[in-house]
Amino acid sequence: MTVAAVVPAAGSGTRLGAGAPKAFVPLAGVPVVVRAVEGLLRSGAVDEVLVGVPEALVDQARLLFAGRPVTVLAGGAERTATVRLALELLAVHGGERAATPEGHADVVLVHDAARPLTPPALIASVVAAVRAGHPAVVPVLPVADTVKRVTPDGIVESTVDRSVLRAVQTPQGFAFATLWAAYAASDVDAAATDDAGLVERVGEKVHTVPGDPAAFKVTTPWDLHIAELLLEKA
Ligand code: CTP
Ligand code: MG
């Protein structure tokens, strides 16, 4: 069974506002995307990685990953477009790399470049759950804050029962055929903020495994600051 990981890293990082695409911002001296990819490889559960970056940074990314089992491609305008391009590359060129009769990896992970401190053990647990027979797997955490539904002008409508809510992280893991079918059934512009959302739309069951606070997404300057502090202490 071969496992490929797709790393969408083609976003602009508007909310971080660091003056460079988020994936290329240094975190304690190492670009965010390099930390995310090295975590995947360190898990021992991933055979190859496909990284989708902004078109202007393809050459720079190839240098960053020289000698590693990493393929760099130009990403798309939306996260889903970046993942779709990587899946197409896997399906077309997989035969040269992977050992399956279909010519592509059996298991595919999708992991945000923006989660540079994701523990390798979490990555391995997602792969293990897919290998155990779950075609779609997401890591989740309970929601700590009280959650309220509000109107556009900021008036509280109701309080949501948080005991049934979970915050969802990456990597998300899939049987290749399941994710492929989910993407085939949606438009490039489908407003999905994660990949399991597309799988849900085609009626497939999504399994959860416990997430890890360290897999948090670097979205704002505050998150980058926390990540720097965590690395200082490590
Ligand atoms: N991503 C991508 N292609 C896009 C948009 C996003 O590959 N067209 C990736 C980002 O690089 C990131 C992940 O999807 O690793 C999660 O997206 P997000 O945290 O929203 O990153 P950005 O879109 O870069 O940030 P922002 O929304 O603040 O601009
Ligand atoms: Mg974004």
Side-chain angles (χ1 to χ4, degrees), residues 18-170:
K22 181 161 70 182
F24 292 80
V25 171
L27 169 54
V30 177
V32 165
V33 64
V34 172
R35 290 190 180 276
V37 170
E38 290 302 331
L40 286 163
L41 294 173
R42 254 200 336 273
S43 74
V46 172
D47 300 300
E48 64 167 332
V49 182
L50 285 83
V51 186
V53 303
E55 199 165 4
L57 294 174
V58 166
D59 289 344
Q60 188 181 322
R62 288 198 174 127
L63 287 175
L64 284 174
F65 294 114
R68 308 295 282 147
V70 173
T71 302
V72 175
L73 62 135
E78 304 291 337
R79 186 184 180 283
T80 41
T82 301
V83 174
R84 185 188 299 275
L85 288 165
L87 291 178
E88 281 165 1
L89 194 65
L90 257 180
V92 171
H93 295 295
E96 294 160 23
R97 300 189 301 243
T100 62
E102 296 83 13
H104 52 69
D106 316 84
V107 177
V108 60
L109 298 184
V110 184
H111 184 44
D112 292 328
R115 298 181 188 269
L117 303 187
T118 304
L122 174 64
I123 295 160
S125 80
V126 171
V127 172
V130 180
R131 282 180 185 275
H134 298 291
V137 177
V138 297
V140 300
L141 289 176
V143 176
D145 291 320
T146 295
V147 178
K148 295 190 190 292
R149 202 183 299 276
V150 295
T151 62
D153 49 342
I155 304 300
V156 171
E157 280 181 343
S158 60
T159 302
V160 181
D161 174 12
R162 95 182 158 203
S163 70
V164 298
L165 298 181
R166 299 292 180 272
V168 180
Q169 303 181 312
T170 76

Side-chain angles (χ1 to χ4, degrees), residues 137-221:
V137 177
V138 297
V140 300
L141 289 176
V143 176
D145 291 320
T146 295
V147 178
K148 295 190 190 292
R149 202 183 299 276
V150 295
T151 62
D153 49 342
I155 304 300
V156 171
E157 280 181 343
S158 60
T159 302
V160 181
D161 174 12
R162 95 182 158 203
S163 70
V164 298
L165 298 181
R166 299 292 180 272
V168 180
Q169 303 181 312
T170 76
Q172 300 188 351
F174 307 92
F176 183 91
T178 298
L179 191 60
W180 182 257
Y183 267 82
S186 86
D187 321 305
V188 170
D189 297 332
T193 54
D194 76 341
D195 305 282
L198 296 180
V199 171
E200 290 155 37
R201 286 183 200 193
V202 295
E204 188 81 61
K205 200 181 277 180
V206 179
H207 179 75
T208 65
V209 296
D212 190 306
F216 71 99
K217 185 157 71 78
V218 172
T219 305
T220 63

